Amino acid sequence: MTNQMISAQGLTKTFPAKGKVVEAVRSVDFSVDAGELVAFLGPNGAGKSTTLRMLTTLLPPTSGEAVVAGSDIRRDPAGVRRRIGYVGQGTSGGHTQRVRDELHAQGSFYGMGRRETRLRADELIESLELGQVAGRQVQSLSGGQKRRLDIALGLIHRPELLFLDEPSTGLDPHSRANLWEHIVELRRETGTTIFLTTHYLEEADQLAERVMVMDHGQLIADDTAWALKNSLAGDRVTLTFETATDAAAAAARIDGEASGSIVTVTAPGGDRALPRYIRSLGDAGLEVVAATHRQPTLDDVFLALTGRSLREEAAHAEPAEPELVASA
Amino acid sequence: MTTTTPTARPTGFVHDTAAVFVRESRPLVRDPFSVMFSLVQPLIFLGLFGPLLVGAAGGDVAGTLQWFVPGILVMVALFGTASTGANLLFEMQTGSHERTLVAPLSRSALLVGRALKEVVPLVIQGTIVVLVAVPFGFTLHVPGLIAGLAVLAVFGIGFGALSYTLALACRNRDWMFWMVHQTLLFPLMILSGMLLPLDDGPAWMQVAAAINPLSYLVGAERALLAGDFGAPAVVGGIIAAVVTCTIGIVVGVRAMKRAR
């Protein structure tokens, strides 16, 4: 029995759009082991959701293959569907449905017995703090409550693997933190493998052990957040001098970049390098008047990889993802 | 760390259809008065158009009702089921339809379960319309009413399925759904002879009525509600209902299988 939860080879999706062919996902290869928590990071339109929709059998791949939770996405989509949980970008609960009713319906959709469904629904209502709203219509819930119901619906059949597509988008900071507590708790208690897409850098950084970065339909990096930051970005040390002349001299000594009276240098282990720089430059008569050290973020990683900032991309108007275009 | 034990089990078409049917019916059970919403229009026609019909035709109230009420029943079936696709359209936009697509449900069951649900409000509404007409002189034939509602139910399943098909085809374009809906509904209604007899209309209208399945349905309902099981119109109505149902389910299941 293999320990692999997802294995994808050459996964590709193209869409016809306005007479052209859009390559949403270009030959993506990767695997995820049981128990991992993987964050799939990238700007809007990078192909994250399309990849997710192929892995969850919502979209047939143009070419390539993938085995998800032990079943082939092409040959046995029903097997995949039985074993995975999926929380999409939208609201999973029907607006006029009541919370508990939806959980019961979901249990029957997964072939669970009536009693088993009731017990499981009660369990999820309690653990996801939905008790207060269990008898209410979905449309009357707050954003955070709706999202917790989405998670509960995705977990009704105790899936081995949970897909979350932009789980915290649109939530206020408090609800987002609360949602994450629930996800972390779920993982601690059950060891469920979690595969999520996000464009919140901090989220991927703090919570995922492994970060996969996607851009223009291709996987461009795949490692722990720590390794990505160290190998691709490095710490950033900024030193300020009295004069631009001093700064230029200092930049030459420590292989930095001078801009006016400020020198920036990228160095691994920048926190340890900082006192060394100040000492050695001071010995050479170049006095540092101010110094900062900043640890790299995943945005620096993305910048190093693509030359673009993910933060800026997120700030732009969101373009329609290709998967929203009607496709055959 | 404990390992999870998946509890999902393989299911069949009948189980899945029942599961979808139960989910779709729940809001109705929770809030039975919601069926009244689609009853407003037929009751207005009964109350405001009916008296005009009595005056214009110069007949007695009871006789006019006997002719008019079966048409109103068809109107209930037509209007109630024609807009049901809007619910699916909404669920496609919010995300709950996507959730059912990821669940291990048969695609056919997603359509058939929804279409079968149409029967429940239709039968309740039809019964209410008839009961409202009784005090005004409408003669109730219980076996005829049951048979009439059964034929309407078959039609309603098919027409509901067509409405879902339209929703699946329109995806996130609400306006297109409502445009097709409005464009088709009133001609279908008027050209069925549901409100006024078409006998005095121009020839082209009679041709249009002859290819409108609703005309046959209206004819069959008039015969059945009068207790006339042997009328030739009954056969025509049954055929129209079964054909609508078959086309609706076939087209609808195909659309659902292609749904993404």
Side-chain angles (χ1 to χ4, degrees):
Chain A
M1 171 111 188
T2 169
N3 202 30
Q4 254 175 22
M5 204 48 99
I6 305 175
S7 105
Q9 282 102 37
L11 213 53
T12 301
K13 184 72 196 178
T14 56
F15 294 102
K18 290 178 190 150
K20 285 187 293 183
V21 174
V22 177
E23 288 186 286
V25 177
R26 311 174 188 201
S27 190
V28 164
D29 303 286
F30 67 91
S31 61
V32 173
D33 287 340
E36 280 196 277
L37 197 171
V38 181
F40 206 22
L41 194 67
N44 284 314
K48 305 183 303 274
S49 288
T50 307
T51 306
L52 207 68
R53 292 169 69 80
M54 287 193 279
L55 295 174
T56 54
T57 77
L58 278 168
L59 212 55
T62 308
S63 64
E65 45 197 280
V67 176
V68 175
S71 295
D72 189 292
I73 56 168
R74 283 177 196 274
R75 282 186 286 277
D76 184 18
V80 174
R81 290 178 192 144
R82 273 198 297 276
R83 289 186 197 94
I84 63 164
Y86 171 74
V87 177
Q89 289 187 12
T91 302
S92 299
H95 276 215
T96 57
Q97 299 276 351
R98 297 191 188 184
V99 168
R100 194 185 297 273
D101 287 348
E102 272 296 56
L103 286 163
H104 290 170
Q106 186 78 340
S108 70
F109 289 175
Y110 284 84
M112 293 164 64
R114 194 178 294 243
R115 202 182 119 75
E116 186 185 9
T117 300
R118 280 174 195 279
L119 289 174
R120 180 65 178 151
D122 289 345
E123 206 175 290
L124 288 165
I125 284 169
E126 203 201 311
S127 69
L128 286 156
E129 299 169 271
L130 290 165
Q132 300 266 317
V133 296
R136 285 196 1 212
Q137 287 192 343
V138 173
Q139 59 190 346
S140 72
L141 306 188
S142 72
Q145 290 165 339
K146 277 183 191 155
R147 217 59 186 129
R148 294 207 299 277
L149 171 62
D150 295 341
I151 307 252
L153 288 165
L155 291 175
I156 193 94
H157 57 300
R158 301 174 204 274
E160 304 153 69
L161 168 61
L162 182 66
F163 287 96
L164 299 161
D165 199 359
E166 304 277 355
S168 52
T169 300
L171 294 184
D172 61 78
H174 175 78
S175 304
R176 198 189 299 173
N178 175 270
L179 183 74
W180 273 106
E181 270 171 38
H182 285 297
I183 293 174
V184 168
E185 177 74 7
L186 161 79
R187 189 148 173 278
R188 199 177 56 75
E189 285 189 352
T190 62
T192 307
T193 311
I194 297 176
F195 189 88
L196 65 102
T197 69
T198 180
H199 57 240
Y200 287 116
L201 297 152
E202 296 79 9
E203 223 167 67
D205 202 349
Q206 287 165 22
L207 299 152
E209 288 126 19
R210 179 175 162 196
V211 177
M212 295 187 356
V213 185
M214 194 165 206
D215 191 36
H216 295 308
Q218 284 174 311
L219 265 188
I220 54 171
D222 179 358
D223 212 326
T224 61
W226 186 85
L228 286 176
K229 287 186 289 191
N230 272 284
S231 63
L232 291 164
D235 292 14
R236 194 156 297 201
V237 173
T238 311
L239 305 167
T240 309
F241 297 87
E242 288 284 3
T243 64
T245 325
D246 278 5
R253 275 177 175 269
I254 60 170
D255 198 18
E257 238 174 82
S259 163
S261 59
I262 294 168
V263 173
T264 315
V265 59
T266 306
D271 50 345
R272 289 172 179 278
L274 184 55
R276 268 205 317 273
Y277 287 146
I278 296 175
R279 217 178 312 120
S280 69
L281 290 170
D283 289 348
L286 302 163
E287 200 190 335
V288 177
V289 294
T292 60
H293 160 250
R294 189 170 66 84
Q295 287 188 321
T297 64
L298 285 174
D299 195 33
D300 297 323
V301 171
F302 192 78
L303 189 69
L305 285 166
T306 66
R308 307 191 321 276
S309 165
L310 198 52
R311 231 174 267 284
E312 282 167 28
E313 304 245 337
H316 286 306
E318 300 195 359
E321 295 231 344
E323 54 265 29
L324 294 179
V325 178
S327 64
Chain B
M1 189 177 94
T2 54
T3 49
T4 50
T5 338
T7 41
R9 273 178 292 276
T11 53
F13 172 74
V14 174
H15 169 279
D16 291 355
T17 304
V20 173
F21 175 85
V22 169
R23 174 187 183 244
E24 293 301 315
S25 306
R26 268 195 186 118
L28 196 68
V29 175
R30 298 289 184 211
D31 189 10
F33 281 99
S34 63
V35 296
M36 295 303 290
F37 176 74
S38 14
L39 257 183
V40 173
Q41 185 189 318
L43 287 178
I44 286 175
F45 269 94
L46 194 63
L48 297 184
F49 198 84
L52 288 177
L53 208 57
V54 174
D60 63 314
V61 177
T64 309
L65 279 178
Q66 214 65 39
W67 182 88
F68 191 52
V69 167
I72 295 294
L73 284 193
V74 178
M75 183 191 278
V76 165
L78 183 67
F79 280 78
T81 59
S83 50
T84 192
N87 299 324
L88 176 59
L89 202 61
F90 191 61
E91 296 213 330
M92 285 161 70
Q93 287 159 10
T94 58
S96 54
H97 176 61
E98 187 180 73
R99 160 193 139 218
T100 61
L101 288 176
V102 183
L105 286 168
S106 106
R107 293 297 190 260
S108 320
L110 279 174
L111 190 281
V112 178
R114 277 180 180 272
L116 285 177
K117 175 229 112 187
E118 297 309 314
V119 170
V120 184
L122 197 154
V123 168
I124 298 171
Q125 290 166 349
T127 310
I128 293 174
V129 166
V130 169
L131 293 180
V132 165
V134 168
F136 298 96
F138 179 79
T139 316
L140 183 63
H141 294 269
V142 176
L145 175 63
I146 292 169
L149 288 174
V151 175
L152 276 185
V154 173
F155 167 81
I157 292 167
F159 212 71
L162 288 172
S163 179
Y164 288 125
T165 310
L166 180 61
L168 287 164
C170 293
R171 293 171 71 95
N172 44 9
R173 289 160 296 186
D174 289 58
W175 59 270
M176 191 185 273
F177 178 87
W178 291 114
M179 196 181 75
V180 177
H181 177 270
Q182 291 295 315
T183 311
L184 290 179
L185 219 52
F186 282 90
L188 276 175
M189 175 175 81
I190 294 165
L191 294 173
S192 72
M194 172 189 303
L195 299 175
L196 288 168
L198 295 172
D199 309 333
D200 301 330
W204 67 264
M205 266 195 161
Q206 294 182 22
V207 173
I211 55 171
N212 181 1
L214 285 170
S215 326
Y216 299 94
L217 211 57
V218 170
E221 292 299 315
R222 286 191 181 131
L224 286 171
L225 265 72
D228 184 3
F229 285 90
V234 173
V235 181
I238 291 172
I239 292 172
V242 170
V243 168
T244 308
C245 186
T246 310
I247 293 174
I249 296 285
V250 169
V251 175
V253 165
R254 272 185 52 169
M256 189 61 91
K257 281 186 172 165
R258 288 204 203 132
R260 296 276 175 268

